[in-house]
Amino acid sequence: MKHSILKLATGLAAVAIAVQGQSAEETKIFAALAMTKAQESSPIPTDSGVFLYDREADDWIRTGPVIQMISSITTDPADPERIFLACGNGIVRSLDGGETWKMTSGWRESDFTKIAIDPQDGRNIYASSIWGVSVSYDGGESWKPANRGLAEKFSRTVVVDERNPKRVLLGTADGVYQSIDRAHTWKRVRSTPRSVILRMARSEANLDLWIVGTEGEGVYLSRNDGKTWSQTAPALANNNIYAVAVDPFDASRMAAGGWGTGVWVSNDGGETWKARGEGLPSQNVTSMVFDPQKKGRLWVSTFEEGTVHSDNLGRNWNEGGLMGAYVYDLGVIGVE
């Protein structure tokens, strides 16, 4: 079997990123994970890495290079043949749709969590890690640190503003930071909580709407394109929120979840929230994403108890596979 991410299946699922400027027909769902519950003793981690969901077969297919830890996968919005993996040992790139792979980062760079690519100029690439931000201005050929202005370097998530690609938002251990000069300098957004930002997502239906999950302070929303933030979902106010998502077809529909919380959903833009954890195989939620090819479908991963999906905002859940996995991220990538 060829390890091609983009040419394997007609419906995929793995790491969380919003695909900018592409229709639902040009996107697939993906998943980066480790099979922790059923891990076999082996020098080669054959049951960890990136898995893709084949919609026709209703099954997950492992693909890509064999690497111990892959936290995220990203494709260039302008050229989906260019694929980047955020890995524990560095950044891995493919220029041919996943046929071949190459490590492009140096030995000093490690523990990457997320990668974001400028939708207008694929030479500009930003990678978050536990050591801060690394940036490439030459398409991933070389990388350098870009931490000027950060009070805390630990970063879990990074997003490029598709309306203004000079602007980059970063989730750190000190809240949300913003750069308006392609990561040359950073400045903290004052109204965000001074805690670890675990997830960040932007609504594709309303680009002014952002949502973040935090460590110990629940869920925060911005309704003015990240300028100010306010806490929402009072029942989750003291929880670690590892998963957030907004329906790409309807900005009023969103979901959040974390350790011990199950899934909570809102159908009115975050004004009110309802618990929808009944029927989940575990109340420990690690990631989630709305399906761009199945309107209204929400995918959720639970710690070591598999993925599930719902077509009615969690009133009912259906088994989704990957039993035993710790899914670092569920998300969407672009394809040719």
Side-chain angles (χ1 to χ4, degrees):
M1 180 182 69
K2 291 184 178 180
H3 294 312
S4 173
I5 286 183
L6 302 181
K7 300 170 183 174
L8 260 175
T10 58
L12 320 176
V15 199
I17 92 168
V19 177
Q20 301 163 340
Q22 291 175 302
S23 67
E25 291 75 17
E26 297 171 311
T27 62
K28 307 291 182 182
I29 302 180
F30 64 83
L33 55 87
M35 287 289 190
T36 54
K37 193 173 185 178
Q39 182 74 45
E40 298 178 2
S41 297
S42 170
I44 301 176
T46 55
D47 51 1
S48 296
V50 174
F51 281 65
L52 306 178
Y53 178 69
D54 184 328
R55 196 180 302 275
E56 292 184 355
D58 190 24
D59 199 5
W60 296 82
I61 302 173
R62 192 195 182 286
T63 190
V66 177
I67 298 174
Q68 182 66 52
M69 177 181 175
I70 302 177
S71 296
S72 175
I73 178 176
T74 304
T75 58
D76 184 342
D79 180 9
E81 291 280 296
R82 300 176 67 234
I83 312 168
F84 290 81
L85 302 177
C87 305
N89 61 342
I91 295 172
V92 178
R93 181 186 67 180
S94 175
L95 299 177
D96 54 15
E99 295 293 335
T100 60
W101 299 88
K102 179 184 178 181
M103 178 81 71
T104 66
S105 57
W107 65 271
R108 290 183 177 86
E109 294 115 3
S110 65
D111 301 300
F112 288 96
T113 54
K114 190 74 74 177
I115 297 173
I117 303 175
D118 184 331
Q120 296 182 11
D121 187 346
R123 293 174 298 178
N124 303 319
I125 309 173
Y126 312 90
S128 60
S129 79
I130 67 172
W131 309 108
V133 181
S134 292
V135 63
S136 175
Y137 298 118
D138 57 12
E141 292 294 331
S142 63
W143 297 85
K144 62 181 181 180
N147 298 316
R148 185 179 178 186
L150 296 180
E152 295 285 347
K153 293 182 179 180
F154 181 94
S155 305
R156 284 284 301 264
T157 182
V158 61
V159 180
V160 180
D161 184 348
E162 62 188 275
R163 294 192 291 201
N164 175 17
K166 291 183 179 180
R167 179 175 178 244
V168 185
L169 271 69
L170 179 71
T172 77
D174 186 41
V176 176
Y177 276 70
Q178 174 180 274
S179 173
I180 56 174
D181 56 9
R182 294 195 171 97
H184 290 288
T185 60
W186 297 95
K187 187 175 182 180
R188 187 179 184 277
V189 181
R190 293 182 180 179
S191 57
T192 58
R194 301 201 87 102
S195 62
V196 179
I197 303 299
L198 298 173
R199 295 285 182 185
M200 181 189 303
R202 188 184 201 179
S203 168
E204 290 297 299
N206 174 11
L207 294 179
D208 288 335
L209 178 64
W210 294 74
I211 184 171
V212 298
T214 73
E215 183 177 273
E217 295 193 53
V219 183
Y220 275 69
L221 288 177
S222 174
R223 295 183 174 88
N224 56 6
D225 195 15
K227 296 179 179 64
T228 60
W229 297 77
S230 59
Q231 195 175 46
T232 185
L236 301 175
N238 299 314
N239 290 99
N240 296 339
I241 302 302
Y242 292 99
V244 294
V246 183
D247 191 328
F249 300 101
D250 184 351
S252 67
R253 294 160 54 92
M254 59 187 68
W259 198 260
T261 70
V263 174
W264 286 70
V265 301
S266 175
N267 205 22
D268 56 11
E271 295 295 331
T272 60
W273 292 78
K274 295 180 180 179
R276 292 286 165 78
E278 186 176 351
L280 292 176
S282 167
Q283 297 300 303
N284 299 323
V285 173
T286 63
S287 56
M288 60 176 60
V289 67
F290 280 93
D291 193 329
Q293 291 191 338
K294 180 69 173 179
K295 194 170 184 178
R297 174 165 292 180
L298 175 65
W299 283 86
V300 172
S301 65
T302 64
F303 182 68
E304 293 190 336
E305 298 297 335
T307 62
V308 294
H309 57 77
S310 173
D311 295 333
N312 53 17
L313 272 186
R315 292 181 180 86
N316 305 103
W317 296 100
N318 303 295
E319 184 179 346
L322 296 181
M323 177 58 66
Y326 170 27
V327 177
Y328 303 122
D329 217 342
L330 284 171
V332 179
I333 54 174
V335 299
E336 288 286 3

